[in-house]
Amino acid sequence: MTDHPSSSEVFGGVDTHALTHHAAVVDQLGRELADREFPATPAGYESLQSWLLGCGQLVSVGVEGTGSYGAGLARVLTGAGISVVEVDRPDRSARRSQGKSDPLDAYAAARAAASGRAAGTPKSRDGIVESIRCLRLAQRSAIKARTQCINQIRALLVNGPANLREQMQPLPTAKMIKSLARLRPGADLTDPGIACRRALRSLARRHADLDEEIKELHRWLTDLTQQAAPEMLERPGVGIQVAAQMLITAGDNPDRLGSEASFAHLTGVAPVPASSGKRHRHRLNRGGDRAANNALYTVALVRMRYHEPTRAYVQKRTAEGLTKKDIIRCLKRAIAREMYRLVTRRTDPLTSSTESLETAA
């Protein structure tokens, strides 16, 4: 460790991994002071925290992966009153020119915190929104597995016994699953027809189990979302899945979002200038949280079809010469403004969406 006064201001950086975390400390000018590796365990988190505090007057700590490997460490540091900022991994050009190692990444995180380049507050992940995130993750996984299951059933039926295919073909999916789950194939698995029937019965029963699991998870998700954001669910075009995604994107500490413009950037709906010559226009933003962007897109499509103020807005902007893609961009930006007010609970949640449409970009 380089000699330095214990009272000097220092900044920490942590490169996080599954089994170990590598921490580093720099001074106000970004000069390297010390680095050390710690185990990614509760005891390791405490040791890392004590080591950082012993290096000087700790101002803030930049942590990579606060939503994954660094989540536990971020909670410990925040609980101790230490300022934690979220750090993106170094870009490819920097890694090509400077190389890559755990100490280098840790020092880069510390310099990002010292320079102010990294200033984002990580999600706290300690409230009802984290519960919603966990349940929605399980539900989406079950839905994908159910879709895969029915696709495999249909593929087996195409290549399976002709008489069974003829019986199942006219049936709707629900009745077909029930019929296949009640099959009684023989015991001779050397017969391809019997093996196919056994496989179909197994897949059908799995599909039924997944269907029940999805319904149960949806009930739990609905209860939590109604508790967390009842006003949001009253808005046109906003259902359980959209509201849950908006809450997940904002996190349990939505006050970390400094403005509705930052929320627009986070959801990928902030307009990007795309002017050239005499043509002045904006284009869609391809960055941000794509799941949140997709949720806003869903709301925009529903309102364009069923919400009268939105339909009138679309007609007005079409008459002004905007394309459908540009109109959807404007709608998503307006909806993001509305969602920001709801997730941060800073204004009347029943504010009409018509006001947002008039101020859309």
Side-chain angles (χ1 to χ4, degrees), residues 302-337:
V302 172
R303 292 187 179 183
M304 288 173 69
R305 186 175 181 86
Y306 300 107
H307 190 229
E308 285 304 323
T310 304
R311 290 165 62 90
Y313 174 80
V314 171
Q315 292 178 0
K316 172 187 171 184
R317 299 295 272 174
T318 302
E320 293 174 356
L322 265 69
T323 65
K324 183 178 179 181
K325 185 178 292 187
D326 286 335
I327 293 173
I328 292 177
R329 176 189 63 77
C330 295
L331 286 173
K332 286 162 67 176
R333 181 65 179 85
I335 296 167
R337 183 179 298 112

Side-chain angles (χ1 to χ4, degrees), residues 243-275:
Q245 182 57 57
M246 290 293 101
L247 291 171
I248 293 168
T249 301
D252 283 299
N253 50 336
D255 53 303
R256 69 193 181 92
L257 303 170
S259 64
E260 58 92 12
S262 66
F263 183 71
H265 276 283
L266 180 61
T267 56
V269 297
V272 178
S275 301

Side-chain angles (χ1 to χ4, degrees), residues 179-231:
S179 298
L180 292 175
R182 292 194 298 264
L183 284 178
R184 294 184 177 276
D188 184 11
L189 293 180
T190 59
D191 184 347
I194 293 177
C196 181
R197 285 181 170 84
R198 287 226 173 189
L200 285 168
R201 185 180 66 177
S202 176
L203 287 170
R205 291 177 177 178
R206 184 189 307 172
H207 186 283
D209 292 340
L210 286 169
D211 200 49
E212 288 301 317
E213 179 183 348
I214 291 168
K215 291 177 181 177
E216 185 178 44
L217 287 167
H218 185 73
R219 287 195 297 269
W220 295 341
L221 190 62
T222 299
D223 292 341
L224 289 179
T225 306
Q226 288 175 343
Q227 292 179 42
E231 301 92 350

